[in-house]
Amino acid sequence: MVAALRLIRCRHGRVRIGEVARHVHLSPRQLRTVVRAELGVGPKHLARLARFEHAAGLVADGGRSLSDVAQMTGYADLAHLDAEWRDLVGCPPTVWLAQERRNLQADDGDDGADWVP
């Protein structure tokens, strides 16, 4: 299972599940059964999350338009990326990015050394 997850993450979710199954010497059905039993979601959902994670990292890094990020990460277009973002995060990427920037600006640079539980 580790090899399957590694392949999905390495390819940023842009891999066919049949290819993942062959890589770990299982049928696609066996792979779905094993992954779902271990993680509670199927391999297609893991691939979806890996692709989204890659897109979110590119958006957070800045310097690229959302359209460019959509194209680079395999979304059909910006509308597809936007819909995926809303589904997984609950808001469009522009709202998320604005919130992230506010969070970073609110960080006073304190590394937490004074924190006491």
Side-chain angles (χ1 to χ4, degrees):
M1 170 127 113
V2 172
L5 294 175
R6 188 175 293 135
L7 180 60
I8 290 170
R9 290 210 58 190
C10 176
R11 299 260 188 96
H12 305 295
R14 296 181 72 181
V15 61
R16 294 184 184 275
I17 300 310
E19 183 181 344
V20 176
R22 281 188 301 279
H23 182 73
V24 296
H25 309 289
L26 295 173
S27 72
R29 185 176 185 170
Q30 290 170 321
L31 178 66
R32 281 191 301 274
T33 300
V34 169
V35 170
R36 189 163 285 138
E38 291 291 321
L39 301 174
V41 296
K44 283 181 85 170
H45 190 74
L46 290 177
R48 178 185 182 204
L49 294 174
R51 181 169 68 156
F52 176 78
E53 180 182 46
H54 181 57
L58 292 173
V59 169
D61 288 346
R64 293 179 178 91
S65 72
L66 291 173
S67 293
D68 288 344
V69 170
Q71 181 184 25
M72 292 171 62
T73 54
Y75 290 95
D77 54 26
L78 178 55
H80 187 196
L81 174 63
D82 188 76
E84 186 84 332
W85 208 288
R86 288 172 188 264
D87 189 44
L88 293 173
V89 178
C91 65
T94 52
V95 171
W96 177 84
L97 190 55
Q99 291 172 344
E100 285 297 301
R101 286 185 180 139
R102 277 197 305 273
N103 290 341
L104 289 174
Q105 289 172 351
D107 182 13
D108 62 4
D110 184 6
D111 65 359
D114 299 336
W115 184 74
V116 177

